Amino acid sequence: MLKLNNINKYYNTGTVNEICLFEDFNLSIEEGEFVSVVGSNGSGKTSMLNIICGSIPVDSGTIYIGKENITHMPEFRRLRRIGRVYQNPAMGTCPHMTILENMALADNKGKPFNLRRGTDKKRVDSYRESLKTLGLGLEDKLHVKVGVLSGGQRQAMALLMSAMTPIEFLILDEHTAALDPKTAEVIMELTDQIVKSKHLTTIMVTHNLRYAVDYGSRLLMMHQGQAVMDKAGREKTAVKIEDLLERFNAISVECGN
Amino acid sequence: MTVIMGILEEGLIYAVMALGVYITYKILDFPDLSVDSTFPLGAALTASAILAGVSPALTLILSFLAGALAGCVTGFIHVKLKVRDLLSGIIVMTGLYSLNLRIAGGRANVPIFTQETIFENPFLAEHVPAPLSPYVIVLILFLITLACKVLLDLYLNTRSGYLLRAVGDNEALVTSLAKDKGMVKIIGLALANGFTALAGSVYCQHKGFFEISVGTGTMVIGLASVIMGIQLLTPETGTSPFSSVFKKELRPTTAVIAGSVLYKACISAAISLGLEANDLKLITSILFLIILVVSTERRKKVKTHA
Ligand SMILES: Nc1ncnc2c1ncn2[C@@H]1O[C@H](COP(=O)(O)OP(=O)(O)OP(=O)(O)O)[C@@H](O)[C@H]1O
Ligand SMILES: [Mg+2]
C-alpha cells in the first residue's frame, strides 16, 4: 500500500515566483490497484509521481509504503521496487549504448553491478522475445545504438526495461504520448498484460481519456494540485469519456476561461 | 628514426593519461581538472618510492592507487559536497600541488637518473639482445599502454562498466536501476585519475626525474588526444577514414591512443618548424584550440548532411 499524508509542496520557495502546488494533499493506493490519472497540463500529475519516487523533496507531510516511512529515503533506494517510465522518452534509455546493452542493464537491476559480464549471452534470446512483443522490429536491431531510434521506439523500450525485473510498483507518465496510434494501442495492451501478470500496483498518467476509462481499476482527475475526481470499483467502470470531458469543461469554466 | 621513436614514446606515455581523460570527458561527461595534479602525483610518488628502494614496477601500481584516491576526493567534493564539476577538479588540483611537493620531500625537482627503473634495470640489460635495445623503451611503453587499454575495454563491458557508461549517458536511468549515481561517478573519477597517475609514474621513470610543473596542461593534452582520436577515427555518424579503409569501426580506446601519438606528432612538427621548447605550452594550447574548432566544424557538417 502506498500512502501520501498531508503533503505540502511549494515551488520556487522564497522568490516572487513561489507557487503552492500541493496543500494538504492525501492519497492512498491499495496493493494491486491500477490507477489512471488524468488532468490538465500543469495540474501536478508529474509532480505527484516525482514526490512518490523521491525525485523531488516535499516541504511537509509523509510518504509510506506499507508500514515503512519513505519520506526521506533517497530516490535510488525507492526505485528498487518501483519501475518508472518518464514523460520524456529520452530518460528511459541510454542513447550511446546499444539496444542489447540497454536491455542487459535493465535486466541487472537489483543484482550487484560487479565485474561479471555486462551482457549475459544466455539472456539474449529472451531479450529478443520481449522486444518482439512491441512489434517494432527492434529485435533485429540488437546492436544498434538506442540514440538513433525514434522517441516512440525508445519509449516502448523504456516500458519493457522498467518492468523487466521483479518490482512492486509501476509508475507511468504519459508513456504512450509519443507513440503513433497503432503502437500506442499495442503498448497499452502490453502494459495491461505486464501489470496483470506481475500483479503490480500501478499509477498511469495519461491524456488519452479512452485509455483512462478502458484501463485500470481506479480513476483520478487532478486539478491545481488536488484530486477533483476519484472513482474506483464499479463507479470507475461506469465512468464514460463524456463524463470526463464534462468535468474538464466545468473546471475550466470555474477558472474563468 | 629517432624523431619517430621520440614521438611514439611521448605519445604512448600520454596515451595512458588520455585513457583517463577519455573516461571523465567522454564517458562521464565531467571536465576533470584534477588530472593536472594527479599526473605529477604519480611522478612524485614514483621518484620518492624508487629513491626509497621500492621496486619500479610496484611504483606503477602505487601511483595508480594514489591517483585513484585523489579521484575519489574530487568525486566526493562534487557528489557529496555538491561543488560544481570544474571547481571540484580545481580544488583538488590546487591542494595536491602542495601535497606533491611534500611527497617529493619538499623539492620541486627530484632526479632519479642513477636509479633502476622499468626501462633500465639489470633484468633488461641481461635478457634483451643488443639489436633490440634501441626499441626496448617503446616496446615496454607499448605493453603498458596495451595492458591499460585491454583492461579498460574489459572493464567497460562488465556490469559495473555498463553502469559507468550509463551514468554519463543518462543519469536518470542509473537511478531507475536503483543505483546511486554519485557512487558511480566517484568510481569513474577514481579510475581516470588512477590511469593519469600511472602515466605520471611512467613519465617520471622515462625522463629520469620528477618535476613539480610536469602536470601543467595535462588535461589539455588529454582532451586534445581524446577529441582528435575520437573525431578523426571514430565519428559517430558518417564514415571515418579508418572505417572506410578497414570496413570496421575502431574501438574508442584505440582511437584515443592513436590520437595521443598523433597529437605528439603535431607538437613535434610544430617544434621542427622552428618553435622553441619554451613555446611548448603555447603550442599546446593553440593546437588544442585548432582541434576544438575543427572538430566542431566537422560536427556541424555531419549534422547538415543528416
Ligand atoms: N521544477 C519546477 N520548478 C518550478 N515549478 C515547477 C517545477 N516542476 C513543476 N512546476 C510547476 O508545477 C505545476 C505542475 O507541474 P507538473 O509537471 O506536475 O504538471 P503535469 O500535471 O505533469 O502537466 P503535464 O500534463 O503538462 O505533464 C506547473 O504549474 C509547473 O509549472
Ligand atoms: Mg507531466
Side-chain angles (χ1 to χ4, degrees):
Chain A
M1 192 184 67
L2 179 75
K3 233 179 150 136
L4 301 183
N5 297 326
N6 314 101
I7 300 290
N8 284 301
K9 175 69 197 172
Y10 293 81
Y11 278 123
N12 308 319
T13 318
T15 71
V16 284
N17 297 322
E18 177 173 307
I19 54 165
C20 172
L21 181 57
F22 293 114
E23 199 174 0
D24 197 23
F25 181 76
N26 291 285
L27 180 70
S28 168
I29 296 174
E30 296 302 324
E31 204 178 311
E33 242 174 359
F34 181 165
V35 187
S36 309
V37 182
V38 297
S40 46
N41 295 123
S43 56
K45 304 179 297 294
T46 300
S47 299
M48 177 178 79
L49 301 185
N50 281 339
I51 285 171
I52 293 171
C53 294
S55 324
I56 55 173
V58 292
D59 292 298
S60 66
T62 50
I63 308 160
Y64 279 86
I65 290 184
K67 290 210 158 29
E68 189 181 1
N69 185 342
I70 60 160
T71 316
H72 299 291
M73 188 191 269
E75 184 180 14
F76 75 92
R77 291 238 166 76
R78 291 191 210 183
L79 288 174
R80 172 134 228 179
R81 40 188 161 180
I82 301 178
R84 184 170 186 191
V85 180
Y86 295 87
Q87 187 167 359
N88 176 356
M91 283 175 82
T93 48
C94 281
H96 287 99
M97 298 175 78
T98 63
I99 293 183
L100 181 60
E101 286 167 341
N102 269 279
M103 297 294 278
L105 258 180
D107 199 16
N108 288 336
K109 176 169 175 173
K111 298 184 196 136
F113 277 82
N114 50 23
L115 295 182
R116 296 172 66 151
R117 261 184 168 287
T119 307
D120 184 351
K121 293 254 158 57
K122 281 179 252 139
R123 299 279 297 143
V124 176
D125 282 334
S126 108
Y127 300 155
R128 223 181 247 125
E129 282 307 307
S130 64
L131 283 167
K132 223 178 243 170
T133 59
L134 299 177
L136 295 168
L138 297 180
E139 64 276 10
D140 301 323
K141 297 188 189 167
L142 285 186
H143 297 286
V144 168
K145 293 228 166 90
V146 169
V148 306
L149 301 183
S150 74
Q153 290 171 325
R154 277 191 246 181
Q155 195 69 317
M157 257 188 81
L159 173 67
L160 278 190
M161 286 169 61
S162 67
M164 202 181 264
T165 48
I167 46 172
E168 296 162 41
F169 298 89
L170 187 61
I171 303 245
L172 307 166
D173 198 351
E174 299 184 33
H175 71 305
T176 58
L179 305 172
D180 68 64
K182 193 177 143 277
T183 310
E185 219 49 62
V186 174
I187 299 300
M188 208 40 245
E189 266 310 310
L190 181 67
T191 308
D192 201 43
Q193 224 175 316
I194 293 174
V195 168
K196 287 195 176 120
S197 66
K198 296 197 163 194
H199 307 288
L200 301 176
T201 307
T202 305
I203 307 178
M204 177 183 77
V205 170
T206 178
H207 285 303
N208 186 322
L209 300 183
R210 193 169 59 74
Y211 291 162
V213 168
D214 288 354
Y215 295 92
S217 56
R218 181 171 164 190
L219 200 154
L220 215 61
M221 185 188 282
M222 302 277 296
H223 180 64
Q224 292 180 345
Q226 284 172 338
V228 291
M229 184 198 267
D230 185 352
K231 301 221 147 72
R234 211 171 295 153
E235 267 188 353
K236 152 80 171 60
T237 338
V239 174
K240 294 197 188 63
I241 296 180
E242 294 76 51
D243 305 335
L244 292 179
L245 279 174
E246 206 173 287
R247 196 62 200 262
F248 264 117
N249 285 332
I251 286 168
S252 34
V253 169
E254 268 168 44
C255 293
N257 42 34
Chain B
M1 195 60 197
T2 41
V3 177
I4 293 182
M5 292 305 259
I7 291 172
L8 270 180
E9 286 176 15
E10 288 266 314
L12 288 173
I13 294 174
Y14 278 97
V16 175
M17 179 275 292
L19 287 176
V21 173
Y22 167 71
I23 296 175
T24 46
Y25 180 72
K26 270 285 162 187
I27 299 183
L28 278 185
D29 199 14
F30 188 111
D32 178 28
L33 263 175
S34 37
V35 290
D36 270 36
S37 65
T38 43
F39 189 79
L41 171 65
L45 193 71
T46 302
S48 295
I50 285 184
L51 285 178
V54 177
S55 117
L58 189 59
T59 64
L60 297 178
I61 293 166
L62 289 179
S63 299
F64 184 91
L65 293 178
L69 189 66
C72 286
V73 174
T74 307
F76 179 83
I77 293 174
H78 173 62
V79 171
K80 301 288 176 200
L81 307 182
K82 311 216 182 309
V83 176
R84 290 221 331 247
D85 45 12
L86 211 52
L87 291 179
S88 318
I90 290 175
I91 289 170
V92 169
M93 178 180 83
T94 310
L96 261 189
Y97 186 91
S98 297
L99 211 61
N100 287 343
L101 279 174
R102 267 184 192 275
I103 292 172
R107 289 171 300 168
N109 194 315
V110 182
I112 54 164
F113 294 110
T114 55
Q115 306 292 321
E116 275 182 25
T117 65
I118 48 170
F119 303 107
E120 256 177 72
N121 53 50
F123 178 83
L124 287 177
E126 209 174 292
H127 289 84
V128 175
L132 261 185
S133 58
Y135 308 105
V136 79
I137 294 182
V138 166
L139 209 66
I140 292 171
L141 286 171
F142 181 74
L143 288 178
I144 292 175
T145 310
L146 187 70
C148 290
K149 177 202 131 59
V150 169
L151 283 176
L152 180 58
D153 280 339
L154 285 176
Y155 173 72
L156 290 177
N157 274 314
T158 63
R159 286 184 188 173
S160 173
Y162 271 30
L163 214 52
L164 184 68
R165 288 157 65 196
V167 85
D169 224 8
N170 179 2
E171 288 186 3
L173 185 74
V174 173
T175 309
S176 293
L177 295 172
K179 284 284 156 187
D180 185 357
K181 60 180 188 234
M183 279 314 291
V184 183
K185 281 187 193 173
I186 293 177
I187 292 175
L189 283 164
L191 271 181
N193 283 287
F195 277 124
T196 307
L198 171 60
S201 170
V202 176
Y203 179 92
C204 171
Q205 303 193 43
H206 180 256
K207 294 277 187 262
F209 62 83
F210 157 76
E211 217 258 313
I212 186 71
S213 68
V214 290
T216 317
T218 304
M219 159 132 174
V220 171
I221 298 173
L223 276 184
S225 307
V226 169
I227 295 173
M228 211 152 143
I230 301 266
Q231 284 292 328
L232 283 182
L233 302 172
T234 67
E236 303 238 295
T237 46
T239 49
S240 65
F242 179 88
S243 60
S244 46
V245 174
F246 293 96
K247 304 276 176 248
K248 195 178 162 225
E249 280 300 331
L250 203 58
R251 262 182 210 267
T253 45
T254 317
V256 166
I257 294 170
S260 172
V261 175
L262 222 57
Y263 176 77
K264 285 295 169 187
C266 292
I267 295 276
S268 155
I271 290 179
S272 70
L273 285 178
L275 290 158
E276 286 176 40
N278 282 345
D279 301 326
L280 202 63
K281 297 291 182 212
L282 186 62
I283 303 170
T284 304
S285 70
I286 291 175
L287 190 56
F288 179 53
L289 180 65
I290 295 173
I291 292 170
L292 273 184
V293 172
V294 172
S295 69
T296 44
E297 272 303 305
R298 274 179 58 96
R299 213 175 301 150
K300 258 187 234 149
K301 262 190 225 149
V302 169
K303 269 204 185 128
T304 46
H305 274 294

